[in-house]
């Protein structure tokens, strides 16, 4: 077993060797390096063929028409194109947008930009389990609402929103519905032919494809219109100009093909590993799972350990590559906005750890992780005056702290 | 965040971790910081009849630098008179541990902790 152990598959994944192999075939002189837009020779034709095969592979995973897939540089760009593109195109119909406080920054900051341009945005509060109450979503919809953007799976707590029911609500009102599926594609079944989602963002590097590659699903029936955000040679039906990066596209296609083939068996394996991890940690006192445990992807476990400080915890478990709920790179500790939005206090938000399991995680790694966590939490609580006070039965909220 | 070797040493082998009876007349207790700010330090000193700090114990909830600052402080105050101990400056701690600017507040907290412990002891006399 090699240290550190990688348990941060929601941050990014390594490229699958089968994907890397396909990508390498599209780079050098003896490979498929042509510009797919070159119509006058075989280099262009065969590059175009590879791009269209990949488009079909991506479409197949989510059951849509390949013509509905637009290549982008990642889910960030897809979110920007979907949200700004739809808002700009439909602004004569209205200027109100609905999203949720736990969305990825690519969605939240696109909405902030639109607010600066005169749009009005409602940021829904999720319930304490991280899920959106459909009645609250419905009651936020107005006459002038043109767009709703809700993520399928949350990147921090892994909870799965009921996007198909949401899509019924938006379609009935003629509102465009965008879904950020960066964390769900290849992990949760997506069936766009039988759903009313209008726009969906994908990323390649979350499912063993290359970084800097993504796609946006743009529904054709009924047709969804967008205003392009990047202008140039008119590639991708004018929605996203720029020479297509064939090796990246081929990598994304192969990654999505593999995901379609292996998703079901992988989910069984991940669930077993995740449950093993959870069973090994849940007997530690004062631990709290963040986010709904059932409506959750199999590879995610997000836990807060009370009375230990987040940064020292990360230090103690430096043999693990995991994400923490506190951004400890700056002087002002900023707790995770996702955990704050589901009602966790600052302390619990700071002391949270996100474990994400993936294709190359082993049982041995999980067992090592469990042991390391037990030792580290014991050690840090031994050092913690707050733990002593908790054990003495003192209510920490009643203490008057000498804040500095 | 890259930590200095000295911070790592104190973090991995913290000195003088523990608790004294805070009701004891010879013991001064200082508790500073707040959970919401990410660090709480508890420092306790035991003072002899001639005003010398005989023993010191700490417990800290906080980052590696906070733990190291309080651990180092307990080493430094032992054997010092109250006057000498109250002269320890946060900048001395920050320098000894090579704390980066974003972590200097940890050494400030340690200075606050010893001052608070001395005051608590003196209030009891
Ligand atoms: C939910 C979500 N949306 C968007 C992104 C951004 O994706 P990309 O890195 O492909 O731009 C990520 C990943 O960081 C994500 O988790």
């Amino acid at each position: 077993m090699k240290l550190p152990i990688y348990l941060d598959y929601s941050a990014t994944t390594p490229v699958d060797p089968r994907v890397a192999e396909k990508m390498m075939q599209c780079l050098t002189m003896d490979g498929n390096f042509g510009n797919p837009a070159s119509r006058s020779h075989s280099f262009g034709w065969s590059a175009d063929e590879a791009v269209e095969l990949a488009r079909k592979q991506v479409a197949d995973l989510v059951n849509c028409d390949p013509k509905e897939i637009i290549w982008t540089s990642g889910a960030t760009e897809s979110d920007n194109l979907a949200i700004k593109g739809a808002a700009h195109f439909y602004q004569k119909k209205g200027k109100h947008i609905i999203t949720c406080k736990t969305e990825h920054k690519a969605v939240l900051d696109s909405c902030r930009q639109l607010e600066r341009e005169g749009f009005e945005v409602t940021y829904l509060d999720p319930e304490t389990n991280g899920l959106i109450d459909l009645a609250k979503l419905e009651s936020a919809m107005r006459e002038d609402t043109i767009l709703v953007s809700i993520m399928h799976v949350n990147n921090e707590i892994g909870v799965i929103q009921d996007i198909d029911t949401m899509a019924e609500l938006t379609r009935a009102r003629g509102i465009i519905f965008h879904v950020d599926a960066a964390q769900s594609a290849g992990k949760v079944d997506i069936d766009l032919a039988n759903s009313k989602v209008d726009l969906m963002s994908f990323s390649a590097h979350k499912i063993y494809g290359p970084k800097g590659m993504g796609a946006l699903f743009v529904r054709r029936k009924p047709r969804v219109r967008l205003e392009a955000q990047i202008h140039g040679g008119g590639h991708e039906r004018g929605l996203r100009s720029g020479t297509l990066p064939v090796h990246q596209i081929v990598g994304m296609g192969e990654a999505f093909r593999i995901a379609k083939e292996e998703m079901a068996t992988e989910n069984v394996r991940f669930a077993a590993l995740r449950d093993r991890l959870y069973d090994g940690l849940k007997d530690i006192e004062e631990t709290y799972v963040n986010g709904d445990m059932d409506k959750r992807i199999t590879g995610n476990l997000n836990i807060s350990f009370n009375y230990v400080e987040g940064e020292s915890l990360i230090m103690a478990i430096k043999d693990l590559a995991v994400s923490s709920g506190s951004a400890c790179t700056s002087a002002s500790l900023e707790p995770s906005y996702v955990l704050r939005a589901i009602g966790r206090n600052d302390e619990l938000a700071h002391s949270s750890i996100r474990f994400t399991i993936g294709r190359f995680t082993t049982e041995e790694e999980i067992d090592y992780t469990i042991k390391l966590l037990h030792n580290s939490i014991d050690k840090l609580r031994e050092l913690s005056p707050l733990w002593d006070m908790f054990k003495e039965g003192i209510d920490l909220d009643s203490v008057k702290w000498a804040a500095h | 965040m890259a930590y200095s070797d000295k911070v790592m040493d104190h973090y991995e082998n913290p000195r003088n971790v523990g608790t004294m009876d805070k009701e004891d007349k010879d013991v001064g207790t200082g508790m500073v910081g707040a959970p919401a700010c990410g660090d709480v330090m508890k420092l306790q000193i035991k003072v002899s009849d001639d005003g010398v700090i005989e023993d010191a114990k700490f417990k800290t909830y906080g980052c590696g630098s906070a733990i190291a600052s309080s651990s180092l402080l307990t080493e430094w105050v032992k054997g010092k008179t109250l006057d000498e101990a109250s002269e320890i400056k946060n900048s001395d701690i920050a320098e000894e541990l090579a704390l980066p600017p974003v972590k200097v507040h940890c050494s400030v907290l340690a200075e606050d902790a010893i001052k608070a412990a001395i005051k608590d002891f003196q209030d009891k006399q």
Side-chain angles (χ1 to χ4, degrees):
Chain A
M1 191 178 63
K2 249 174 59 192
L3 296 178
I5 295 167
Y6 193 74
L7 287 172
D8 208 8
Y9 283 84
S10 279
T12 193
T13 58
V15 170
D16 188 291
R18 293 167 286 183
V19 171
E21 187 56 44
K22 291 272 192 245
M23 292 176 70
M24 284 188 286
Q25 292 163 9
C26 302
L27 289 165
T28 52
M29 189 68 208
D30 55 357
N32 194 0
F33 74 91
N35 184 336
S38 299
R39 301 289 182 213
S40 51
H41 50 69
S42 62
F43 295 90
W45 302 331
S46 69
D48 183 56
E49 224 170 83
V51 165
E52 294 315 314
L53 170 65
R55 206 187 296 275
K56 181 163 178 356
Q57 290 169 324
V58 170
D60 280 350
L61 178 66
V62 294
N63 197 25
C64 71
D65 187 327
K67 293 195 197 78
E68 295 174 310
I69 296 294
I70 300 292
W71 300 120
T72 67
S73 63
T76 299
E77 187 190 331
S78 300
D79 289 344
N80 273 265
L81 173 57
I83 293 168
K84 294 178 192 166
H88 289 157
F89 192 91
Y90 294 102
Q91 60 185 321
K92 280 187 219 76
K93 275 183 66 187
K95 290 200 142 192
H96 180 237
I97 296 165
I98 300 169
T99 186
C100 177
K101 286 184 179 162
T102 50
E103 291 294 310
H104 192 267
K105 288 286 182 189
V107 167
L108 293 176
D109 284 4
S110 293
C111 288
R112 287 269 179 248
Q113 174 58 29
L114 289 171
E115 282 181 290
R116 284 191 286 272
E117 294 171 18
F119 288 84
E120 191 192 331
V121 182
T122 298
Y123 298 90
L124 293 173
D125 280 304
E127 303 303 297
T128 53
N129 62 1
L131 297 169
I132 292 170
D133 180 338
L134 294 173
K136 289 183 187 165
L137 172 63
E138 193 169 13
S139 67
M141 295 177 187
R142 315 190 310 212
E143 273 300 304
D144 61 340
T145 306
I146 50 168
L147 174 69
V148 172
S149 180
I150 299 292
M151 71 203 318
H152 194 187
V153 167
N154 183 273
N155 44 304
E156 288 192 29
I157 53 181
V159 297
I160 307 168
Q161 305 287 353
D162 182 2
I163 54 167
D164 290 334
T165 307
M166 292 178 185
E168 297 290 337
L169 300 175
T170 51
R171 179 65 60 79
R173 290 165 181 77
I175 299 169
I176 299 290
F177 185 37
H178 166 250
V179 173
D180 179 341
Q183 295 288 352
S184 65
K187 298 170 190 162
V188 180
D189 285 322
I190 297 174
D191 182 358
L192 288 169
N194 293 298
S195 161
K196 296 191 170 76
V197 171
D198 296 301
L199 297 161
M200 189 176 267
S201 300
F202 304 108
S203 179
H205 74 98
K206 307 289 186 186
I207 52 168
Y208 314 94
K211 295 167 191 53
M213 187 63 216
L216 179 66
F217 159 82
V218 184
R219 187 173 291 284
R220 283 162 70 93
K221 277 185 211 142
R223 186 161 177 218
V224 174
R225 309 289 299 274
L226 298 175
E227 192 181 289
Q229 303 296 306
I230 294 183
H231 304 92
H235 308 77
E236 300 297 282
R237 296 191 281 117
L239 283 177
R240 205 284 191 174
S241 289
T243 299
L244 294 176
V246 180
H247 63 298
Q248 295 284 87
I249 291 170
V250 163
M252 181 163 180
E254 177 69 2
F256 275 55
R257 182 195 68 75
I258 294 170
K260 182 177 164 67
E261 210 158 87
E262 302 184 353
M263 185 171 120
T265 44
E266 278 199 318
N267 268 332
V268 173
R269 201 174 73 82
F270 294 173
L273 289 170
R274 198 266 313 275
D275 292 346
R276 188 181 183 92
L277 178 60
Y278 179 54
D279 288 341
L281 297 178
K282 70 177 181 211
D283 57 329
I284 300 179
E285 262 182 283
E286 285 292 303
T287 57
Y288 298 87
V289 172
N290 298 308
D292 196 88
M293 202 59 190
D294 297 322
K295 293 206 172 79
R296 185 187 201 100
I297 54 165
T298 55
N300 175 295
L301 185 64
N302 188 315
I303 300 196
S304 291
F305 300 93
N306 211 358
Y307 309 117
V308 297
E309 187 274 337
E311 195 177 330
S312 59
L313 179 57
I314 285 287
M315 240 172 122
I317 57 172
K318 60 179 187 300
D319 283 347
L320 306 179
V322 292
S323 281
S324 136
S326 61
C328 22
T329 42
S330 60
S332 63
L333 280 159
E334 251 190 63
S336 147
Y337 67 90
V338 171
L339 298 184
R340 294 295 285 122
I342 62 168
R344 290 295 189 215
N345 65 24
D346 280 359
E347 293 94 296
L348 281 177
H350 278 306
S351 67
S352 72
I353 302 284
R354 178 188 73 178
F355 304 91
T356 42
I357 289 162
R359 191 166 286 168
F360 306 101
T361 307
T362 65
E363 221 167 70
E364 189 190 11
E365 290 176 331
I366 295 296
D367 291 344
Y368 183 93
T369 299
I370 293 168
K371 207 177 296 156
L372 183 60
L373 256 305
H374 273 270
N375 293 341
S376 305
I377 302 287
D378 282 353
K379 175 191 155 163
L380 290 170
R381 283 187 177 161
E382 187 56 38
L383 269 174
S384 169
L386 303 183
W387 180 246
D388 284 350
M389 293 166 82
F390 164 70
K391 283 281 154 183
E392 285 163 29
I394 298 169
D395 174 14
L396 294 183
D397 291 331
S398 71
V399 177
K400 211 176 150 293
W401 299 100
H404 52 294
Chain B
M1 164 103 25
Y3 286 98
S4 70
D5 291 345
K6 281 186 180 152
V7 169
M8 284 310 292
D9 180 37
H10 279 279
Y11 172 76
E12 276 170 6
N13 309 293
R15 333 284 201 258
N16 307 308
V17 177
T19 308
M20 298 176 190
D21 179 5
K22 62 176 183 292
E23 307 303 332
D24 188 336
K25 200 165 170 298
D26 299 336
V27 170
T29 301
M31 177 117 92
V32 293
C37 305
D39 29 33
V40 175
M41 263 179 210
K42 187 177 86 172
L43 178 73
Q44 294 187 299
I45 51 173
K46 190 176 173 64
V47 185
S48 69
D49 295 340
D50 48 0
V52 173
I53 297 173
E54 291 181 321
D55 198 8
K57 296 276 183 221
F58 86 97
K59 288 218 172 187
T60 290
Y61 163 92
C63 66
S65 301
I67 291 169
S69 295
S70 37
S71 170
L72 175 68
L73 185 68
T74 58
E75 283 192 318
W76 277 4
V77 298
K78 273 205 243 182
K80 282 197 165 64
T81 65
L82 293 180
D83 282 348
E84 288 166 346
S86 65
E87 270 164 24
I88 293 172
K89 290 274 162 293
N90 83 283
S91 51
D92 302 333
I93 296 169
E95 192 179 328
E96 172 69 15
L97 295 173
L99 297 182
V102 296
K103 292 297 179 190
V104 166
H105 69 275
C106 297
S107 63
V108 174
L109 207 57
E111 183 185 320
D112 292 349
I114 182 63
K115 293 217 159 84
I118 292 171
K119 180 168 186 307
D120 181 60
F121 171 78
Q122 286 169 340
D123 288 350
K124 275 185 181 170
Q125 304 310 305

